[in-house]
């Protein structure tokens, strides 16, 4: 009996320690945005190949938006330590799961799905998610409007560190100033940035204890002529990058909540669009998904935030064929070896089937196509998340 207890204790300790470093296994998860909604889960092989795990897809207990997923929402699914959160746009809820680091299996958190309690969007939109790096708070923001065309506010949740359960904060809802297509918390935990496509702007919120958002109105930045669709921030929290619907990429120096364009920004990529941008694990490369051109591009990032243009573009289907994947959400494996793109269409035999484009990030080229994989599900795939998630070390303590 004592031996069994000791073995169980050591098992729990090992599971808790796995996300801190490279685990023996890595996984990729999707928000399928179907009705009823589900999450597909895949083990990542040593060659980057995806193998669907037993039990996948996992039901979320809520509804997606099916064939009408709404304006691009880059982060409908995120990893917070050993928990996974996925938004259900059709039912305005957030589903929570615990992740088994060894098998990738998802177990619903008691009480899931959790109501946003803040908005009921009838306009077929998506719900973006962001979390503080300490894993204590989760934010949800909609790309849509209510029946009176008021933009949905931000819902703030506290996260139970043991169970992963969500509780709507008494400070919620928080006015956002517009519908949001993407949100991101800076790795130092001090700010939340939101892309507001309706006003072609990026809004900045200061995070003050405990987790409360305070809009910094004079720090919002208006893009020149296009809607911001996604945001990423480097580990030092001093560089911000935003994709735009017109093909430009915006780069900012970020300090004390102020966004100041780096030299040469916005960068004219010559591409049709840049729906989602994401940084490599080393922050030395920026990747963008270009839905209109069905390509993914890698840009070298200088220490000053300047992008090397034109970058390296690779067709999301490998070659220009009859398949137009329309890549959207991006995720980098935590070892920095592979990039995954969520595709609205990855099956030549059925243009409604979603899936993945897999790219290798090692070798002589910064981006090499590996394969195109269908999920077999009849819904456009918008977002995905890799586990363990990218980890930024030596984070500054959040401001009080």
């Amino acid at each position: 009996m004592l031996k069994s207890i000791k073995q169980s204790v050591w098992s729990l300790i090992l599971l808790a320690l796995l996300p801190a470093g490279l685990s023996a296994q890595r996984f990729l998860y999707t928000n399928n945005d179907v009705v009823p909604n589900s999450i597909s889960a895949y083990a990542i092989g040593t060659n980057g190949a995806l193998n669907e795990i037993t039990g996948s897809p996992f039901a979320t207990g809520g509804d997606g938006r099916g064939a009408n997923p709404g304006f691009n929402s880059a982060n409908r699914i995120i990893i917070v330590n050993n928990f996974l959160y996925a938004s259900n746009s059709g039912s305005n809820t957030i589903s929570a799961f615990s992740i088994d680091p060894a098998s990738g299996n998802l177990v619903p958190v008691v009480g899931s799905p959790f109501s946003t309690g803040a908005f009921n969007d009838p306009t077929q939109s998506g719900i973006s998610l962001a979390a503080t790096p300490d894993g204590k708070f989760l934010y949800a923001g909609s790309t849509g409007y209510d029946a009176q065309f008021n933009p949905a506010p931000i819902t703030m949740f506290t996260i139970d560190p043991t169970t992963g359960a969500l509780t709507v904060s008494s400070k919620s809802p928080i006015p956002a100033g517009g519908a949001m297509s993407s949100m991101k918390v800076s790795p130092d935990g001090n700010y939340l940035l939101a892309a507001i496509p309706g006003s072609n702007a990026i809004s900045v919120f200061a995070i003050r204890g405990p987790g409360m958002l305070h809009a910094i109105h004079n720090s919002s930045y208006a893009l020149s002529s296009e809607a911001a669709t996604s945001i990423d921030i480097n580990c030092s929290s001093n560089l911000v990058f935003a994709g735009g619907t017109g093909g430009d990429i915006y780069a900012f120096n970020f300090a004390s909540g102020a966004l100041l364009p780096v030299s040469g920004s916005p960068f004219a990529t010559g591409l049709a669009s840049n729906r989602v941008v994401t940084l490599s694990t080393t922050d030395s490369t920026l990747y963008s998904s270009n839905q209109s051109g069905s390509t993914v591009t890698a840009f070298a990032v200088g220490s000053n935030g300047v992008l090397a243009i034109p970058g390296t573009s690779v067709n999301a289907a490998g070659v220009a064929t009859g398949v137009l994947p329309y890549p959207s959400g991006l995720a980098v494996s935590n070892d920095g070896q592979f990039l995954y793109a969520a595709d609205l269409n990855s099956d030549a035999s059925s243009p409604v089937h979603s899936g993945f484009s897999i790219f290798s990030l090692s070798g002589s080229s910064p981006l090499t196509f590996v394969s195109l994989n269908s999920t077999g599900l009849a819904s456009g795939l918008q977002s995905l998340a890799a586990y363990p998630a990218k980890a930024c070390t030596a984070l500054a303590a959040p401001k009080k």
Side-chain angles (χ1 to χ4, degrees):
M1 179 67 178
L2 181 60
K3 181 179 179 181
S4 175
I5 293 174
K6 287 182 177 179
Q7 287 177 337
S8 298
V9 170
W10 276 112
S11 296
L12 290 173
I13 291 173
L14 288 173
L15 291 180
L17 290 177
L18 276 172
L22 290 180
S23 71
Q25 186 63 278
R26 297 183 301 275
F27 303 95
L28 193 73
Y29 299 94
T30 70
N31 185 337
N32 293 323
D33 210 18
V34 292
V35 181
N37 201 14
S38 66
I39 294 170
S40 293
Y42 301 84
I44 299 175
T46 55
N47 60 352
L50 299 176
N51 299 295
E52 193 162 9
I53 71 172
T54 301
S56 174
F58 297 90
T60 67
D63 288 336
R65 283 300 190 187
N68 188 3
F71 189 76
N72 183 73
S73 178
N75 39 6
R76 302 180 188 200
I77 183 170
I78 63 171
I79 304 294
V80 182
N81 298 323
N82 270 346
F83 300 110
L84 178 147
Y85 298 94
S87 60
N88 302 299
S89 302
S91 52
N92 292 293
T93 58
I94 310 300
S95 295
F97 298 84
S98 61
I99 302 170
D100 182 332
S103 68
N105 187 57
L106 298 180
V107 178
V109 167
V110 174
S112 178
F114 300 92
S115 174
T116 64
F119 45 80
N120 185 9
D121 171 36
T123 59
Q124 310 287 340
S125 298
I127 299 173
S128 286
L129 304 174
T132 54
D134 60 9
K136 293 182 178 180
F137 300 98
L138 181 77
Y139 305 99
S142 174
T143 63
Y145 298 80
D146 64 18
Q148 288 72 46
F149 208 68
N150 298 309
I154 297 173
T155 299
M156 171 183 165
F157 298 92
T158 58
I159 301 174
D160 186 296
T162 302
T163 67
L166 300 177
T167 302
V168 175
S169 169
S170 60
K171 306 295 184 181
S172 196
I174 302 163
M180 295 150 283
S181 62
S182 178
M183 298 191 301
K184 184 78 175 184
V185 175
S186 58
D188 62 11
N190 291 325
Y191 299 95
L192 180 142
L193 279 70
I196 312 293
S199 56
N200 294 0
I202 298 172
S203 292
V204 180
F205 299 83
I207 300 176
R208 299 292 182 261
M212 184 59 188
L213 300 181
H214 300 270
I216 307 177
H217 298 291
N218 60 352
S219 289
S220 295
Y221 184 89
L223 279 63
S224 56
S225 61
E226 57 192 311
T229 52
S230 71
I231 295 170
D232 204 2
I233 308 169
N234 70 341
C235 281
S236 298
S237 299
N238 65 342
L239 291 173
V240 173
F241 299 91
T245 53
D248 292 341
I249 291 181
Y250 294 76
F252 304 92
N253 291 302
F254 187 56
S256 300
L259 291 166
L260 302 173
V262 305
S263 177
S265 180
F267 295 94
T269 66
L271 302 168
S273 66
N274 289 292
R275 288 295 188 183
V276 175
V277 294
T278 193
L279 287 159
S280 64
T281 53
T282 61
D283 291 333
S284 60
T285 306
L286 183 76
Y287 306 102
S288 74
S289 60
N290 314 301
Q291 286 187 336
S292 298
S294 281
T295 60
V296 174
T297 305
F299 302 94
V301 180
S303 58
N304 56 359
V306 173
L307 301 183
I309 299 297
T312 300
S313 291
V314 177
N315 192 287
V319 294
T321 65
V323 179
L324 297 175
Y326 305 116
S328 182
L330 300 172
V332 178
S333 60
N334 78 320
D335 61 358
Q337 297 298 303
F338 300 98
L339 174 72
Y340 298 90
D343 296 326
L344 290 174
N345 170 31
S346 290
D347 190 339
S349 65
S350 178
V352 298
H353 282 182
S354 62
F356 309 91
S357 295
I358 303 175
F359 302 88
S360 172
L361 305 181
S362 58
S364 57
S365 174
L367 193 66
T368 303
F369 177 81
V370 175
S371 64
L372 187 69
N373 300 260
S374 173
T375 64
L377 296 175
S379 176
L381 192 61
Q382 291 272 12
S383 60
L384 39 71
Y387 174 88
K390 174 182 176 180
C392 292
T393 58
L395 299 178
K399 296 177 181 178
K400 303 300 182 183

